[in-house]
């Protein structure tokens, strides 16, 4: 649980205003998806997010570690 909280705290820094500000996550096919554009995340934070179980995918970040439907 601690790793998930750390990851979401990092991702929150990069969350855009708009629809995804209010609904930033979805879970689908054992993936937790967070609608944060990986290109906007610093390299340092990407490295930390990888350690915490999140990887970049298209226009969002995903985790197979925390996602389950």
């Amino acid at each position: 649980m601690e790793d998930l909280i750390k990851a979401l705290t990092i991702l929150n820094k990069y969350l855009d205003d708009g629809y995804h500000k209010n609904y930033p996550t979805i879970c689908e096919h054992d993936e937790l998806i967070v609608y944060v554009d990986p290109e906007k995340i610093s390299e340092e934070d990407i490295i930390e997010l990888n350690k915490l179980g999140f990887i970049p995918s298209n226009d969002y970040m995903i985790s197979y570690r925390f996602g389950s439907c």
Side-chain angles (χ1 to χ4, degrees):
M1 178 70 101
E2 191 174 309
D3 285 351
L4 177 59
I5 293 168
K6 286 179 185 178
L8 292 176
T9 300
I10 293 168
L11 291 167
N12 189 56
K13 298 187 308 187
Y14 301 98
L15 197 58
D16 289 334
D17 288 334
Y19 179 80
H20 293 300
K21 183 74 169 182
N22 294 320
Y23 307 100
T25 62
I26 189 170
C27 190
E28 183 175 283
H29 303 291
D30 297 331
E31 296 176 340
L32 173 60
I33 299 167
V34 182
Y35 290 107
V36 172
D37 185 351
E39 291 186 14
K40 295 181 179 181
I41 300 174
S42 73
E43 186 175 334
E44 178 181 290
D45 282 343
I46 288 285
I47 292 168
E48 185 64 22
L49 287 165
N50 279 294
K51 291 177 188 174
L52 297 169
F54 282 83
I55 58 173
S57 177
N58 299 323
D59 297 330
Y60 46 84
M61 297 294 291
I62 63 170
S63 174
Y64 296 103
R65 178 179 174 194
F66 299 107
S68 183
C69 294

